Amino acid sequence: MKKIISIVGARPQFIKHAPMQLELQKYFEALTIHTGQHYDENMSAVFFNELNMPPPDFLFDIGGSKPQGEQTGIMMKEIEAVCMKEKPDALLVYGDTNSTLAGTLVAAKMHIPQIHIEAGLRSFNRDMPEEINRIVADEFAYLLFCPTDQAIDNLKKEGITHNRIFKCGDVMCDMVKLMEPKSKRPVEYPYYFVTIHRPYNTDENSRLIHILQTLNNLDKKVIFSIHPRTVARLLQYGIDIKEFNNILFVPPTGYVESISYQKFSECVITDSGGIQKEAYILGKKCITLRSETEWTETLQNGWNTLAFDDLTQIKTAIHQKPGEHLGPIYGDGLAAAEITAIIKKHI
Ligand code: UD1
Ligand code: UDP
């Protein structure tokens, strides 16, 4: 049996890995490295339990908050050691985090075929660490799985045109389809659901306060699932969340709870990549607090609206009804099975 090691480390990667692990383990010795990038119980273990994944075979303790290079370097050292011992036939990475980058660089240097799931996404904003990670992951990938036609076009423009690029839908869509039936209305009153964790929204005191003030002045209650990066910044800046009495701050939720909060909200307000897609799949209007998005399809017919410099746009966008829904642009919920069938042919 061929051996594939999947590398995960951050919240969205545990979610993407759940349907893939289920398929991979049917045909491969499918091991998992958890880099330890996210480590709180509600950012990590909760997903392994809730989504029925076996615990990771290797779990690193990279020791919390670190600068980009140091965090990536420690992960690389640990991943390399596992690969020297386990000699995998392929390394599989997801998305665009520093865990993705670390896995990619180790695979490239050890001449291990690298598989990239969620290939070809581009925000064209190189200030984002994720954009650098995506470009490197795609450049070195042996098999590239793109969720959309736009992603394939982006690769073409960078000269990545070999015949190991496939469009198979989005594994996050698999998860939404699988778990949405378990969703339940979380509260009786109408609310907007919010998540914010991008450095350009959190890592400057005045910007973070401005966002909180804007949310606090909305016409309906706000439920804000608060990412640990955002918690760390609130503490660092001495911002007292009790001042924002229209906002109910909740700790990071499990997956079904997150889908439930989105599905039953009046509107989703976020800077998350995954939540923009999930809101679209759930047929929910989304407002994205960013100046650009890699998930450009969601912008069509107003299902997703960008608001960045001028936050007053949130108020207007909330009440704009989206047009026709474009249907299943992220696939039919069977991406993991399709991807695994292709991996079987090539590895
Ligand atoms: C990372 C990814 C980002 C992704 C996000 C998903 C990179 C460069 N960024 O951002 O693409 O959208 O994960 O959520 O890889 N922290 C905790 N406990 C945890 C995790 C984080 O306290 O379990 C705190 C630490 O203070 C840490 C900070 O959050 O320094 C940031 O964590 P980090 O993983 O570096 O970046 P994210 O903002 O989570
Ligand atoms: N999510 C969750 N609980 C939360 C917030 C988000 O389970 O409190 C899920 C969400 O449904 C989506 C994923 O986490 O599947 C998105 O991860 P995140 O926003 O951290 O990262 P990004 O997608 O921006 O990289």
Side-chain angles (χ1 to χ4, degrees), residues 298-313:
T298 57
L299 298 173
Q300 293 177 65
N301 296 348
W303 284 93
N304 187 9
T305 303
L306 301 174
F308 191 67
D309 289 326
D310 178 8
L311 291 180
T312 61
Q313 287 175 345

Side-chain angles (χ1 to χ4, degrees), residues 201-213 226 230-244 247 249:
N201 284 326
T202 58
D203 289 10
E204 196 197 307
N205 187 358
S206 58
R207 171 78 183 171
L208 185 53
I209 291 180
H210 190 192
I211 291 174
L212 293 174
Q213 281 167 344
I226 188 157
T230 314
V231 173
R233 296 301 169 262
L234 290 171
L235 291 171
Q236 182 185 339
Y237 307 142
I239 299 172
D240 180 4
I241 56 173
K242 287 196 225 70
E243 285 171 26
F244 305 97
I247 308 177
F249 292 90

Side-chain angles (χ1 to χ4, degrees), residues 108-133:
K109 292 196 177 251
M110 293 184 75
H111 312 298
I112 303 168
Q114 185 258 70
I115 303 166
H116 188 203
I117 293 188
E118 213 176 76
L121 275 297
R122 294 292 181 270
S123 66
F124 302 101
N125 175 359
R126 290 194 176 192
D127 288 340
M128 291 177 72
E130 293 83 358
E131 186 75 352
I132 300 162
N133 299 345

Side-chain angles (χ1 to χ4, degrees), residues 10-13 15-16 38 42-43 46-47 50 96-97 130 172 176 193 195 197-198 225-227 250-259 261-262 270-278 290 294-295:
R11 173 167 66 188
Q13 293 170 327
I15 294 159
K16 290 166 199 177
H38 287 177
N42 58 16
M43 292 295 288
V46 70
F47 299 104
E50 186 183 8
D96 53 21
T97 71
E130 293 83 358
M172 269 192 144
V176 177
F193 181 59
T195 77
H197 72 275
R198 299 271 163 220
S225 157
I226 188 157
H227 189 283
V250 296
T253 73
Y255 183 73
V256 174
E257 215 182 339
S258 167
I259 294 297
Y261 273 127
Q262 293 178 62
T270 192
D271 59 12
S272 158
I275 288 187
Q276 291 175 65
K277 265 184 296 178
E278 289 173 346
R290 293 176 47 177
E294 53 283 6
W295 302 106

